[in-house]
Amino acid sequence: MGVGMTILHKLVRNDAMKIDPPEVYNMRVFLLACASCFGGTLFGMDIGIIGGVITLPSFQDAFGYDKLSKTDRTLAAANLSANIVSVMQCGAFAGALLANPCADRWGRRPGLLGAATLAAIGGVMQAASSGSIGCLYAGRFIEGLGLGAATMLTPTYISENAPRATRGMLTGLYQLFETMGAMLAFWINYGSLLHLKGAAQWQVPLAMQCLPPTLLFLGMLFCNESPRWLARTDRWEKSVQVLSHVRKLPESHPYVQAEMLEMRRQLEEELASVNGGKGMGALWREMWTVKGNRRRAILSIVLMVCQQMTGTNAINYYAPTIFTDLGVTGNANSLFATGVYGIVKMASCFLFLTFLADTLGRKKSFIWTGAVMFLMMFYLGFYVRFDAPLKGAKIGAAGYVALVAVYLFAAAFQFGWGPVCWIYVSEIPTSRLRGLNVSLAAATQWLFNLVVARATPVMLQTVGPHGYGTYFIFGSFCFCMVFVAWFFVPETKGVSLERMDELFGVADFGGIEDVGVAGQTGVLEKGVGEVRVERV
């Protein structure tokens, strides 16, 4: 066993890691995941950059904030900022839904290439808008189409390629790359404020949004198609070739053959459930009329609603405004505090994926982080309600605790509801329904992302003095989410994608040997000792 596998065995502690062939956990699948995860980086960079750009005086001058209604300019400015931010979510909602039929027909890899192209075009249009609010809106909508498609395709693509013991870690890279994008965006904003003047202050950050889609496009040129998508489209020879390449094992190896056998059994069971029906109508019937599928679809939608109602994107989009409300004075200082927030998010996500994603599991991660986020949000609400900072006054002890609470909230989110939602919704669906299920989950995420982005600046102005009620609302959702996870989320760590059907009561794999055991013994079917595949 090499050094890399020794480290991986110490970091990842689940039953699958103990019995699977070490070759399965190789650099090929890791690099494949990293290449596709630039789709997450463009998400993070957008939410980080736009939140800082809309606070810049040069941006506000260019887009007519000074011409807004004089009777209630603060509320009018909040509405305009919310419109600028939220038009991207409208595009992302549409992109997440449209990506599914496109990816099911042409493949996950072409879908990601198309998403990267749209996002890059949108970024260029925003940077070139030069005070034209229509061009800015159009650019953000087009970027949103690519971004929404990427949020659906990236977790799906990774989960369909990843080996089971590290699927959580690899799919969770999507969230890590997202936090990396947000962190870079926060510091790009800070550097632009300090070192650039005039229109360049906001044009350069908006132009930098083109970097992640460029890296996504280039990375995907060197990646393979999903073996499970190939199997689903009846390209079995190509599927086993790709799976062999990704697993770094010969096509005749028992582990590869057992995984292919699970794919075939799952697809047979799925087709039998709808009498072999094909097309979108059959998929929708299969999703909502089969009890186990319906449960997974509802669970995916509920988890994504919960993820957004934590309030994480309220902070992501409006962090400079929120830090100012907590007593951080000056645009530069609020952007600096936002930059630190980005570092905390990225570091926390890295620690979670490295040490806990496939060891602690999904259910426990949801439960304990929901409780921590509830406590942090309620502290912020009480602080803003009873000890709100006076304008120009120094931050007191309670204020510094409030800043720490924001950072602890961010860390808790990255240890649970951030990455685990994407891991979970991409791994539990059946093969035929994975694209549709993740598409619905991603669209739900963007719909409620839009709700939060559109409502937050107005809530901070209207829901009690200094908007203290905003924190109580999000905190209450965090409290309820603990019970959702406790009672309704089954554990899935170390379970192969195909055996999710067995976990949710849709298929019976009792006659097929576990892929790890098959890899060790060469026996593919239980109770049939003579059915063996020669080990190579």
Side-chain angles (χ1 to χ4, degrees):
M1 187 183 298
V3 175
M5 276 301 299
T6 301
I7 295 173
L8 201 58
H9 270 269
K10 290 184 179 297
L11 295 177
V12 179
R13 297 183 180 275
N14 60 44
D15 293 338
M17 177 59 75
K18 296 175 184 177
I19 61 175
D20 288 353
E23 295 91 342
V24 168
Y25 302 98
N26 56 71
M27 285 299 294
R28 287 177 185 171
V29 71
F30 176 76
L31 293 175
L32 172 151
C34 288
S36 62
C37 277
F38 282 113
T41 305
L42 71 93
F43 179 14
M45 188 165 282
D46 175 89
I47 62 177
I49 280 178
I50 198 64
V53 161
I54 59 177
T55 68
L56 296 175
S58 56
F59 178 85
Q60 295 184 355
D61 290 343
F63 289 94
Y65 277 66
D66 58 331
K67 298 176 183 177
L68 297 173
S69 170
K70 295 182 179 179
T71 55
D72 195 350
R73 179 165 292 176
T74 301
L75 184 58
N79 273 303
L80 178 57
S81 294
N83 289 337
I84 292 172
V85 170
S86 59
V87 70
M88 186 274 290
Q89 281 92 342
C90 295
F93 176 78
L97 293 176
L98 292 173
N100 171 55
C102 294
D104 276 358
R105 180 172 181 178
W106 292 299
R108 316 308 194 201
R109 181 172 171 269
L112 282 166
L113 291 171
T117 302
L118 286 170
I121 292 171
V124 170
M125 290 179 66
Q126 291 175 66
S129 55
S130 298
S132 169
I133 193 70
C135 184
L136 181 67
Y137 283 156
R140 287 191 59 72
F141 184 83
I142 292 172
E143 182 191 33
L145 289 173
L147 209 161
T151 57
M152 174 261 158
L153 289 166
T154 299
T156 303
Y157 178 73
I158 297 173
S159 68
E160 290 183 342
N161 279 279
R164 59 182 181 167
T166 57
R167 189 175 59 245
M169 178 188 294
L170 293 173
T171 308
L173 285 173
Y174 173 81
Q175 186 74 15
L176 178 63
F177 274 61
E178 180 192 322
T179 60
M180 178 179 70
M183 185 269 294
L184 290 174
F186 294 148
W187 290 107
I188 288 170
N189 286 341
Y190 182 65
S192 297
L193 178 67
L194 293 182
H195 302 294
L196 298 177
K197 303 295 181 183
Q201 270 190 341
W202 59 269
Q203 287 177 328
V204 170
L206 291 178
M208 289 297 291
Q209 293 178 119
C210 298
L211 179 60
T214 301
L215 294 174
L216 173 62
F217 189 93
L218 294 175
M220 292 309 300
L221 290 177
F222 298 96
C223 291
N224 56 266
E225 183 54 85
S226 158
R228 285 174 169 83
W229 179 82
L230 292 168
R232 187 190 161 210
T233 54
D234 209 26
R235 304 178 199 181
W236 291 98
E237 289 186 7
K238 183 63 176 177
S239 177
V240 72
Q241 291 172 8
V242 171
L243 188 66
S244 170
H245 172 76
V246 174
R247 297 290 179 264
K248 214 171 181 179
L249 293 170
E251 293 179 25
S252 58
H253 193 283
Y255 188 94
V256 175
Q257 291 297 314
E259 201 165 351
M260 293 299 300
L261 182 60
E262 283 190 349
M263 290 186 206
R264 191 177 292 275
R265 172 65 64 85
Q266 184 189 40
L267 287 167
E268 289 172 353
E269 294 269 2
E270 292 174 36
L271 289 171
S273 70
V274 289
N275 299 317
K278 296 183 180 180
M280 288 302 297
L283 293 179
W284 280 99
R285 287 194 301 274
E286 188 176 343
M287 172 172 281
W288 296 110
T289 60
V290 178
K291 182 179 178 181
N293 294 341
R294 182 170 63 249
R295 180 186 172 193
R296 282 180 276 190
I298 294 173
L299 185 57
S300 297
I301 292 170
V302 169
L303 288 178
M304 282 304 182
V305 172
C306 290
Q307 185 197 62
Q308 291 308 302
M309 297 313 294
T310 60
T312 183
N313 279 323
I315 300 177
N316 288 341
Y317 285 119
Y318 304 107
T321 302
I322 289 172
F323 280 120
T324 299
D325 290 343
L326 295 177
V328 178
T329 57
N331 210 349
N333 288 334
S334 65
L335 288 177
F336 180 82
T338 304
V340 176
Y341 171 77
I343 293 174
V344 170
K345 287 183 61 179
M346 182 177 174
S348 302
C349 190
F350 174 79
L351 291 173
F352 170 73
L353 296 178
T354 304
F355 296 104
L356 294 178
D358 289 300
T359 300
L360 182 63
R362 300 9 168 186
K363 188 185 186 82
K364 290 180 181 178
S365 297
F366 280 141
I367 292 170
W368 80 264
T369 56
V372 172
M373 290 189 295
F374 152 69
L375 294 173
M376 296 306 104
M377 276 294 184
F378 264 66
Y379 177 84
L380 291 171
F382 282 120
Y383 167 69
V384 173
R385 174 64 181 87
F386 295 109
D387 194 18
L390 299 175
K391 188 172 183 179
K394 291 184 177 180
I395 302 177
Y400 282 111
V401 175
L403 295 177
V404 172
V406 174
Y407 296 139
L408 288 177
F409 172 88
F413 182 80
Q414 298 305 327
F415 271 87
W417 287 88
V420 179
C421 277
W422 290 111
I423 294 168
Y424 204 82
V425 303
S426 64
E427 69 184 1
I428 61 172
T430 67
S431 179
R432 276 166 51 87
L433 297 179
R434 183 166 294 110
L436 180 58
N437 194 98
V438 179
S439 177
L440 283 176
T444 302
Q445 187 259 0
W446 282 114
L447 178 61
F448 282 84
N449 190 314
L450 170 62
V451 170
V452 170
R454 186 64 186 82
T456 296
V458 179
M459 290 168 67
L460 290 171
Q461 295 293 326
T462 60
V463 186
H466 304 283
Y468 76 88
T470 305
Y471 303 103
F472 287 140
I473 291 171
F474 289 133
S476 297
F477 274 102
C478 293
F479 181 78
C480 295
M481 286 154 45
V482 173
F483 294 94
V484 171
W486 188 291
F487 292 107
F488 299 106
V489 175
E491 184 55 68
T492 57
K493 71 172 181 179
V495 180
S496 70
L497 289 183
E498 284 66 38
R499 290 185 186 260
M500 294 294 174
D501 281 9
E502 192 170 48
L503 181 65
F504 285 88
V506 173
D508 181 13
F509 285 79
I512 298 178
E513 191 57 85
D514 176 86
V515 291
V517 174
Q520 292 180 340
T521 64
V523 178
L524 302 185
E525 298 184 45
K526 291 180 179 178
V528 189
E530 67 274 12
V531 180
R532 291 177 176 270
V533 176
E534 183 179 355
R535 297 199 61 169
V536 178

